[in-house]
Amino acid sequence: MRFFGIIRLFFFIASSAFAQVFLNVSDFGGIPNDGAPDDGALQSAWEEALKQNAQGVFLPAGRWRFDSPIVVPRGLTLKGTYTRPHIAERSDLEGAGTTIECYVGRYADIEKEPWKYPSCVNLSGSSTLEGVNLVYPEQTDVWNPVPYSWTIFCNSDYDENQRFKEASRCAVVNTTLVNAYAGIFMRWGANDHFISGVNMSVFKKGMVLDGITSLGVIQNVNIHNQYSWPFYGILASDNEKTARLAQENLENLVGIEFHRVDWGWLNQVFVIYANKGFVFGKSMTAADSSQWEFGSRALPSLDVSNSGCDLCRVAVEADYINTGVGVNFSNSNLLGRVILGDSCYGSLRFSNAFFSYGISSADSANDQFTVGKHATLQIVNSEVLNFPVDVSTWRGRVFMVRGILQMSNSVLASPDTGRYDGKTFKHLQTENSGIATVQNLVFRGPKFRYGTKEKGRVKASLVEHREISEDFPYNPPK
């Protein structure tokens, strides 16, 4: 009997300890679904969680209104009911799961010093946001969105006594952004960040990383407007509205911007319908921005795997890349143009990639790949496809090279030969001392055509051609 009494006491102590791992905001006066602000209840819960050394605060299922920025204290977690990302059905927003209603940051300017505007959720060092919907109830017009500040923000800073408050190891897990104007901003000192299982519909920008000087991981992220459909009453079968929303994104949305990112990893990250998918630039912070010269410091360097940009005007744009490590894509699907600007001194590398470029009337004179005069583009074991969509004749080139192109063990396909200008079409053009070395390539459609001018050079070897015919069809996914 004494033995069983000890066992019962052990389980009582263990269960009591577990019960205090997360404090329930309802125990501090928070009431879901009543339309009243819950800021005070959450603040009281944070204060008690810090006193009890708890893991964080739990938000039960329901709609919770916040009129002021949520600040997750250092080392704590704000946790909802969801265990995986989801499409936010209307029932979710009405209480089936945890939904944070944001009334913060209206009319912010995210382009000019965005860190000066209040965000809905602010993460401190080693803090986590997990298992919630985030929705802006006042963002009611899907066709004319109102600018808001960043929904989730992680940034090192100084307190009122000028003591440093670092923001490393912050995390966002299993969270859906329903109708954000701008999604997640990992800024100065948000090192070793972890973003996983995040779905988001955004109007302007999905994510921005800047001032990151240590390793970070981003995985299982989808940026797609479908997560906002239920909120705006758009059905998947309503082709007119879904097409119009896709067009709005193609004109206005940027998927992910990388500024100062000193080595990081992305895996299974997809951007669908965007003006620009993956953008690489110099730091937005003056102190870091001044160090970009020749790509020596303060520029993006990271590995991207099993990721892509589907139906984007520009899949990858690189104005600045670190000259040492560079940016490396592997096993990627990139549907859109690839542009390396003249200010880019680094290397952009692709292996096992599929590139597709649907040429519209707006792109009739644009090149699929542009390599600036200081940049290096390397492609291996990949396939490059282009096809006119609503243009009678394409006058661009597959590759326009003013820097360096190295390509091997790949296929280049231009199947719709009737809509290429037979006199001017070229797979490859080098100029302004640009250099291209290509080997072990197979061309489908037109035979390999290239041109040089202004000291441009091309060296090709082991180049083969296979015609497209009934015996040798080419029917790739478009």
Side-chain angles (χ1 to χ4, degrees), residues 68-88:
S68 301
I70 297 171
V71 179
V72 183
R74 178 177 176 81
L76 297 186
T77 295
L78 181 59
K79 186 178 180 63
T81 60
Y82 287 112
T83 58
R84 62 177 303 275
H86 62 285
I87 296 177

Side-chain angles (χ1 to χ4, degrees), residues 202-446:
V202 290
F203 291 103
K204 194 65 176 180
K205 290 187 179 182
M207 287 194 287
V208 168
L209 286 81
D210 192 14
I212 310 300
T213 58
S214 185
L215 308 178
V217 174
I218 300 175
Q219 62 184 21
N220 301 326
V221 173
N222 286 285
I223 301 175
H224 192 315
N225 62 44
Q226 67 178 343
Y227 307 113
S228 69
W229 292 354
F231 181 82
Y232 293 111
I234 298 175
L235 301 177
S237 58
D238 192 336
N239 294 329
E240 182 178 349
K241 287 185 178 180
T242 57
R244 181 182 174 188
L245 187 55
Q247 186 62 35
E248 292 286 335
N249 290 161
L250 286 169
E251 293 176 3
N252 299 299
L253 175 62
V254 175
I256 307 177
E257 286 185 7
F258 304 91
H259 297 275
R260 180 169 189 176
V261 183
D262 295 355
W263 198 260
W265 286 280
L266 276 78
N267 183 45
Q268 296 180 340
V269 176
F270 289 92
V271 181
I272 303 176
Y273 300 125
N275 184 268
K276 298 176 182 179
F278 300 89
V279 176
F280 302 92
K282 65 178 179 179
S283 178
M284 302 167 67
T285 304
D288 282 344
S289 177
S290 64
Q291 301 176 34
W292 69 267
E293 188 69 22
F294 301 112
S296 59
R297 297 179 63 187
L299 296 179
S301 58
L302 64 155
D303 285 348
V304 183
S305 61
N306 306 306
S307 300
C309 184
D310 193 358
L311 301 172
C312 298
R313 287 261 169 84
V314 176
V316 180
E317 181 179 88
D319 287 326
Y320 297 89
I321 289 179
N322 185 286
T323 55
V325 177
V327 173
N328 309 292
F329 281 79
S330 62
N331 304 321
S332 300
N333 292 298
L334 298 158
L335 280 66
R337 300 174 64 202
V338 176
I339 302 173
L340 287 75
D342 285 337
S343 57
C344 179
Y345 285 78
S347 296
L348 182 60
R349 308 180 185 97
F350 297 95
S351 63
N352 303 317
F354 174 67
F355 303 92
S356 180
Y357 180 37
I359 306 156
S360 66
S361 57
D363 297 319
S364 61
N366 289 333
D367 304 311
Q368 185 171 359
F369 295 82
T370 301
V371 184
K373 61 182 179 181
H374 303 296
T376 298
L377 173 63
Q378 298 173 320
I379 300 175
V380 62
N381 299 334
S382 298
E383 184 160 351
V384 175
L385 166 69
N386 49 73
F387 54 93
V389 177
D390 59 357
V391 58
S392 58
T393 304
W394 181 37
R395 294 181 174 83
R397 279 94 13 139
V398 182
F399 292 94
M400 166 54 73
V401 180
R402 291 187 293 274
I404 298 173
L405 168 67
Q406 296 173 302
M407 186 174 185
S408 63
N409 303 334
S410 298
V411 174
L412 278 77
S414 302
D416 197 347
T417 56
R419 287 200 268 182
Y420 296 86
D421 189 324
K423 295 181 179 179
T424 63
F425 173 75
K426 294 182 178 67
H427 293 96
L428 171 61
Q429 174 77 40
T430 61
E431 59 186 39
N432 298 117
S433 299
I435 301 172
T437 60
V438 297
Q439 61 179 359
N440 296 335
L441 301 186
V442 174
F443 289 82
R444 304 298 310 274

Side-chain angles (χ1 to χ4, degrees), residues 98-156:
T98 301
T99 295
I100 292 175
E101 295 184 335
C102 303
Y103 290 84
V104 179
R106 192 175 174 89
Y107 299 121
D109 184 354
I110 66 167
E111 300 293 345
K112 185 177 181 180
E113 298 183 314
W115 45 86
K116 291 187 175 181
Y117 296 91
S119 295
C120 181
V121 179
N122 297 267
L123 297 174
S124 307
S126 302
S127 68
T128 299
L129 177 68
E130 180 179 357
V132 300
N133 271 321
L134 293 123
V135 64
Y136 290 84
E138 296 179 321
Q139 189 70 277
T140 56
D141 189 348
V142 67
W143 313 119
N144 297 286
V146 175
Y148 274 82
S149 59
W150 288 92
T151 301
I152 301 171
F153 187 52
C154 186
N155 177 45
S156 296

